Amino acid sequence: MKKIVNTDFEVRSSHAMCVNHSELDHSFVSLLKYAVAGIFFGIILVKAQVIAWFRIQEMFRLQSFHMFGIIGSAIAVGALSLFLIKKFNLKTIDGESIQLEEKHFAKGQVYGGLLFGFGWALTGTCPGPLFAQIGTGASVLLVTVLSAIAGTWTFGLLKSRLPH
Amino acid sequence: MLEWIKQPWPWYVAGPLIGLTVPLLLLLGNRTFGISSSLRHICAACMPANIPFFKYDWKKESWNLFFAVGILIGGFIAFNFLSSSAPLTVNPKLVQEMAGYGITSYDGLIPQELFNWPALLTVKGFILMVLGGFLVGFGTRYAGGCTSGHSIMGLSNLQWPSLVATCCFMAGGFIMANLILPFILKL
């Protein structure tokens, strides 16, 4: 069998969001808690109408404060939480110390950011709400997810030829 | 209580709850909030095709897939058990603009008139659902994150590259919604 060289840490650190991972929880049961967290998050996305195409259109036309209020207050609460975690050196429920990675600048944040912005306004959704939308029964958006996966795959294919 | 839950939640309730997802995932197991990575893990799991970007141990990141499935289940629960059937109330200016494109229904959170199976075969539907989805998948990975990973997690952690990314997300959205989308919706 061909040996897979594990270079994911360095690859991930530049492109994916999740570089730190707990060493302790890899069993199915312990992963279920993330599904529960996802359920919590998905319910909020629907109840706050973040998944509504018209809400996103209002946001990009500056016709409603709703989405700006949600993103702004989420950042405020997230920042306060991280401040408290650092200040009191809080640990995970398994007792590990919490690590946060620095993000490094790359041109992709500009080019990719603009392209994602185009897609966000077209579909009225970003990756999280997309999963919630399918949960609400919008089956046609399975095609949008498949297309998003194809987009990610195409990025992986072209990565070395794109400016970074 | 249930009646209150069934109403749409205001931003000052929903935003802070979304913000709490950041410490929740960290405390549960040192996980950094972010969803677009799940698309990459699906590529790595299903069709790595010998592309270096997809040659990593995606199983180590499978929490992200559990989280994504949870979001889908949460969407199902909220829609079927915690929602009222009242139509969406949106800014009258948007209603007026949309009426110009023949979009008049505000039932449900996703406009039926634009997002449906037959529309996939129209130019407009293809651009909205297929091209739009492709740009979401390509753009988020190129940018290294989406609204959750950069705008909420990254900005909460005071990372300036995430501010650059967020500004570009918004700029792209403003350009598309105001300058390009009107032509697409007229198709």
Side-chain angles (χ1 to χ4, degrees):
Chain A
M1 211 174 116
K2 207 175 134 197
K3 189 170 174 282
I4 297 173
V5 182
N6 190 354
T7 55
D8 49 318
F9 190 86
E10 56 166 353
V11 177
R12 264 182 293 141
S13 63
S14 60
H15 286 286
M17 306 319 301
C18 42
V19 284
N20 50 350
H21 53 80
S22 167
E23 296 296 333
L24 299 173
D25 57 350
H26 293 309
S27 73
F28 183 83
V29 174
S30 87
L31 287 168
L32 278 181
K33 60 180 183 272
Y34 300 108
V36 175
I39 291 172
F40 163 80
F41 186 63
I43 289 175
I44 303 164
L45 291 180
V46 173
K47 290 309 304 174
Q49 303 181 331
V50 173
I51 68 164
W53 188 82
F54 291 115
R55 287 277 169 270
I56 304 302
Q57 300 305 324
E58 283 179 330
M59 168 173 71
F60 288 137
R61 287 168 178 76
L62 299 177
Q63 289 168 336
S64 166
F65 178 72
H66 186 74
M67 285 302 302
F68 295 103
I70 286 179
I71 296 173
S73 58
I75 295 167
V77 169
L80 179 65
S81 307
L82 292 183
F83 172 77
L84 294 173
I85 284 174
K86 287 174 192 165
K87 186 170 170 66
F88 296 104
N89 200 15
L90 295 180
K91 304 266 190 282
T92 70
I93 53 174
D94 294 317
E96 289 185 312
S97 61
I98 289 175
Q99 297 156 2
L100 293 164
E101 285 286 318
E102 303 264 310
K103 292 199 198 302
H104 302 285
F105 178 74
K107 287 176 192 156
Q109 281 144 15
V110 176
Y111 303 135
L114 286 170
L115 291 174
F116 166 52
F118 294 158
W120 192 5
L122 283 173
T123 58
T125 192
C126 31
L130 188 52
F131 291 112
Q133 287 179 330
I134 292 168
T136 70
S139 58
V140 70
L141 294 175
L142 283 168
V143 176
T144 305
V145 173
L146 287 177
S147 195
I149 293 168
T152 299
W153 191 87
T154 307
F155 169 75
L157 184 69
L158 302 178
K159 182 172 175 281
S160 58
R161 279 178 262 170
L162 294 168
H164 287 289
Chain B
M1 181 70 185
L2 193 62
E3 275 316 298
W4 185 85
I5 286 175
K6 284 190 172 187
Q7 301 300 313
W9 296 356
W11 65 264
Y12 49 82
V13 172
L17 287 175
I18 289 174
L20 285 178
T21 314
V22 169
L24 176 68
L25 290 173
L26 283 170
L27 294 172
L28 280 180
N30 233 341
R31 306 299 181 172
T32 311
F33 182 44
I35 297 154
S36 61
S37 305
S38 63
L39 301 171
R40 183 180 176 193
H41 305 326
I42 293 169
C43 290
C46 300
M47 44 196 163
N50 226 12
I51 297 169
F53 191 60
F54 301 122
K55 281 162 85 179
Y56 62 93
D57 187 4
W58 62 271
K59 283 179 189 156
K60 275 189 183 167
E61 309 293 342
S62 54
W63 78 273
N64 205 259
L65 300 172
F66 278 77
F67 188 62
V69 170
I71 294 171
L72 194 150
I73 298 169
F76 177 84
I77 293 171
F79 182 76
N80 289 289
F81 306 115
L82 304 174
S83 294
S84 68
S85 54
L88 213 58
T89 46
V90 302
N91 189 309
K93 279 187 205 151
L94 187 66
V95 174
Q96 199 181 3
E97 186 193 335
M98 289 297 150
Y101 313 126
I103 299 163
T104 52
S105 169
Y106 291 86
D107 295 331
L109 295 169
I110 297 133
Q112 274 289 323
E113 289 160 309
L114 294 172
F115 295 88
N116 58 68
W117 284 100
L120 266 182
L121 298 174
T122 66
V123 176
K124 181 165 68 177
F126 184 86
I127 293 174
L128 290 177
M129 290 179 270
V130 180
L131 180 67
F134 188 90
L135 287 170
V136 168
F138 188 96
T140 52
R141 200 69 280 121
Y142 196 2
C146 60
T147 330
S148 55
H150 270 311
S151 307
I152 294 175
M153 182 68 215
L155 289 183
S156 291
N157 197 23
L158 312 176
Q159 299 294 303
W160 71 267
S162 292
L163 183 61
V164 174
T166 301
C167 290
C168 292
F169 299 164
M170 288 292 169
F174 275 88
I175 293 167
M176 176 56 73
N178 294 288
L179 305 179
I180 309 173
L181 190 63
F183 295 100
I184 296 168
L185 291 176
K186 277 178 201 154
L187 289 172

